[in-house]
Amino acid sequence: MSEIWEGMKAAVWLIVTLDPELFDITLRSLQVTVTAVVIASAIGLPLGALLAIQRFRYRRATIAVLNALMGLPPVVVGLIVYLMLSRSGPFGVFGLLFTPTAMIIAQVIIITPLIASIAHQAIRDLWAEYHDLMISMNTTKGQRIRTLLWDGRRALMTASLAGFGRAIGEVGAIMIVGGNIDNATRVLTTAIALETGKGDFGLALGLGFVLIGLAIFVNLTIHWVGRTESEGRW
Amino acid sequence: MVGSILPLELREAVVRRRGKRLLGPVDLTVGAKGFTIVMGPNGSGKTTLMRSLHGLQRLTEGEAVWAAGMEAVRKRQAYVFQQPVMMRRSVRDNLAYPLLLHGTKKAAARMAAEEWAARIDLTEALDRRATQLSGGERQKLALARALIREPELLFLDEPCANLDGRATRDIEALLKVEHERGTRIVMATHDMGQARRLATDIVFLLNGKIHETGPAEPFFAGPATPEAGAFLKGDIV
Ligand SMILES: Nc1ncnc2c1ncn2[C@@H]1O[C@H](COP(=O)(O)OP(=O)(O)OP(=O)(O)O)[C@@H](O)[C@H]1O
Ligand SMILES: [Mg+2]
């Protein structure tokens, strides 16, 4: 019991003094995850919108693949990315394994389906609402897409935030492809795993608090965005 | 001025959904002038008929023949839905939207939006989200948004259903002005008084078919069919 208490005290101390190691790890976590979210959003948001309004040949197949990918265990994604990037793998020549880039690739694969799927649902609902009006107003396809993306921007933001929430807390895949190397690929989750194993609860808990703080921040933002969205709908 | 898109002729039009006949066969001409009121009990096909005329509802059989090419036809009409669609934007942006779609400059579109807001008594609400408006305010907004591009042909599906007496009077006055300016109006309503005040022509629907149609005056003076007579008296048909 006292061990936990000591750990808590140490954790708070590390946070209030802006401990350089804790600060570094947090910053790297944010760098990797924010980059991954930006890339995954750039792919997932338009893809979701397209799936919602455009009827094309492999639409159903694409949705099925997205749903299947969403169910993929991150560890398996990590394993596949590892095999692809390893020296003998097809992308081995780039030497990306155990770099932040590898971690970003893994996270992008994990959260793109999630972001696309949430965007798909949101835009589909909005399109159902707007359909008759926009057809009646003789809009072009481009105008429809732009209108839906703009009026659905809050929902799309929620999709990206959900992706962020998933990526920042992910440990399995980035542990495998990043290798948890000190000063290079160590991020919040992998550091917590390591420090806990070593019995250094102070740093582990400090990092844990930061992670919880980020998660709460993301969820509050999602909640707030959703509330302004639904405010006064009826 | 380019040639009119009217008259519009519906020829042996039939609309079926999953084998069920919702409308027709219907033959109807919408001439260049007039204010047509579409009447009939709930479910008689008023909305389906108007959507078919507008081109939103695909005909299962028959055809709609316009006096102009489809490009002009699609551009020069507007439709106010029975359940008005509120875009998730401010009232101002809802009003400006149809203008911006067709290349009007932002400043000009905003000015027009403000003028129309004043006409429908929504100036105070210009910066509120349209989704926060009351049912009646929504209907007024939808009407102004449809009129802002000065369509040649305007469809209105019960535009006064949620409005109180005064608002209804205001809307009727506005519609009369638009009609006198030359806007061709086709409107569904349940309000018999309103039909009498506005109509130049009547289309009376029953079970998806045109039961009676013609100029308004003789229709209200003495309908040709017993069903229309009963409907006018408020009986169930
Ligand atoms: N999408 C649809 N699928 C199946 N049936 C439909 C559909 N839309 C309308 N109907 C049916 O078609 C008939 C005519 O509907 P319509 O909406 O045209 O009636 P209406 O005269 O406008 O009625 P109201 O006065 O209630 O607005 C109704 O029986 C309705 O249930
Ligand atoms: Mg109707």
Side-chain angles (χ1 to χ4, degrees):
Chain A
M1 197 59 208
S2 75
E3 205 173 355
I4 297 175
W5 182 241
E6 289 303 315
M8 296 269 255
K9 277 202 292 194
V12 172
W13 182 246
L14 287 173
I15 291 172
V16 295
T17 57
L18 289 177
D19 175 74
E21 194 181 1
L22 179 132
F23 190 79
D24 261 15
I25 292 174
T26 303
L27 199 65
R28 190 171 307 116
S29 248
L30 284 174
Q31 271 168 355
V32 167
T33 301
V34 168
T35 310
V37 168
V38 168
I39 296 171
S41 297
I43 303 168
L45 297 180
L47 179 62
L50 195 72
L51 289 172
I53 48 182
Q54 180 78 311
R55 304 267 164 262
F56 52 91
R57 192 127 170 245
Y58 297 108
R59 189 173 150 273
R60 298 210 147 271
T62 312
I63 294 173
V65 168
L66 271 185
N67 286 334
L69 283 176
M70 242 191 339
L72 266 188
V75 181
V76 176
V77 173
L79 174 62
I80 294 167
V81 173
Y82 183 97
L83 293 175
M84 292 286 160
L85 298 184
S86 69
R87 194 85 62 75
S88 52
F91 303 106
V93 285
F94 299 113
L96 291 175
L97 200 59
F98 304 135
T99 65
T101 308
M103 297 154 76
I104 291 170
I105 292 172
Q107 289 198 339
V108 166
I109 295 173
I110 292 167
I111 63 176
T112 299
L114 177 72
I115 292 177
S117 167
I118 297 176
H120 172 217
Q121 274 173 33
I123 298 295
R124 194 187 52 197
D125 293 350
L126 192 61
W127 179 226
E129 217 175 298
Y130 280 16
H131 177 274
D132 284 356
L133 181 72
M134 303 206 70
I135 300 288
S136 163
M137 283 182 172
N138 190 30
T139 47
T140 64
K141 191 152 271 166
Q143 288 171 330
R144 284 172 209 165
I145 292 176
R146 253 173 286 143
T147 302
L148 289 169
L149 290 179
W150 179 248
D151 285 6
R153 61 192 182 281
R154 287 185 177 78
L156 297 179
M157 206 169 115
T158 307
S160 292
L161 283 169
F164 179 88
R166 176 111 195 254
I168 195 88
E170 204 284 319
V171 56
I174 53 173
M175 183 76 99
I176 294 177
V177 303
N180 196 20
I181 301 166
D182 200 9
N183 282 322
T185 58
R186 184 162 300 165
V187 292
L188 286 167
T189 50
T190 57
I192 291 173
L194 179 75
E195 300 303 329
T196 306
K198 287 199 312 203
D200 182 352
F201 296 119
L203 187 54
L205 277 169
L207 296 164
F209 288 151
V210 173
L211 198 54
I212 290 170
L214 283 171
I216 290 175
F217 171 76
V218 166
N219 281 302
L220 281 180
T221 313
I222 289 178
H223 179 76
W224 174 76
V225 166
R227 222 197 34 208
T228 42
E229 175 66 29
S230 60
E231 209 168 72
R233 286 294 300 288
W234 292 107
Chain B
M1 178 69 195
V2 265
S4 172
I5 58 171
L6 295 167
L8 154 63
E9 218 183 307
L10 219 49
R11 292 183 188 155
E12 292 178 31
V14 176
V15 174
R16 258 187 259 276
R17 278 273 177 106
R18 287 189 220 99
K20 192 176 162 242
R21 190 175 49 77
L22 307 185
L23 185 76
V26 163
D27 286 278
L28 181 67
T29 303
V30 178
K33 292 211 154 49
F35 197 132
T36 302
I37 295 280
V38 181
M39 287 196 288
N42 290 132
S44 57
K46 302 181 291 298
T47 300
T48 309
L49 173 66
M50 295 213 302
R51 288 173 64 98
S52 302
L53 289 167
H54 183 48
L56 258 178
Q57 173 67 58
R58 194 193 302 273
L59 301 176
T60 318
E61 290 167 33
E63 54 182 348
V65 183
W66 297 84
M70 283 320 285
E71 172 107 11
V73 163
R74 277 194 285 265
K75 266 190 202 151
R76 278 145 64 185
Q77 39 173 340
Y79 195 109
V80 177
F81 297 96
Q82 194 161 5
Q83 261 110 39
V85 182
M86 291 296 103
M87 299 179 76
R88 299 180 189 173
R89 314 174 162 212
S90 67
V91 169
R92 186 195 308 276
D93 290 348
N94 263 272
L95 285 170
Y97 184 76
L99 292 175
L100 294 175
L101 275 183
H102 293 82
T104 307
K105 292 270 176 300
K106 245 196 178 125
R110 287 172 74 92
M111 280 238 304
E114 278 159 32
E115 275 166 33
W116 271 99
R119 282 185 75 175
I120 54 170
D121 210 13
L122 279 182
T123 303
E124 304 294 312
L126 266 170
D127 292 306
R128 270 167 59 199
R129 280 167 74 74
T131 45
Q132 297 176 342
L133 296 179
S134 75
E137 289 166 338
R138 284 165 184 238
Q139 283 183 316
K140 291 199 285 186
L141 173 56
L143 175 62
R145 191 178 54 194
L147 280 169
I148 201 161
R149 270 182 59 212
E150 305 183 348
E152 186 178 340
L153 173 58
L154 174 66
F155 294 97
L156 303 166
D157 200 347
E158 301 187 28
C160 299
N162 289 310
L163 299 181
D164 58 27
R166 213 192 102 206
T168 301
R169 215 78 48 75
D170 291 349
I171 294 298
E172 284 181 17
L174 196 151
L175 289 178
K176 272 189 181 141
V177 170
E178 291 302 316
H179 175 223
E180 272 152 28
R181 284 185 51 228
T183 310
R184 181 68 170 93
I185 300 177
V186 178
M187 168 170 146
T189 181
H190 277 118
D191 181 339
M192 215 54 70
Q194 182 167 62
R196 282 175 202 268
R197 288 191 292 274
L198 295 174
T200 63
D201 306 276
I202 293 291
V203 172
F204 178 66
L205 285 173
L206 204 57
N207 300 323
K209 292 204 174 109
I210 296 183
H211 199 74
E212 207 175 320
T213 181
E217 258 177 56
F219 177 84
F220 287 117
T225 59
E227 290 84 359
F231 184 77
L232 282 184
K233 277 192 288 177
D235 293 348
I236 297 159
V237 283

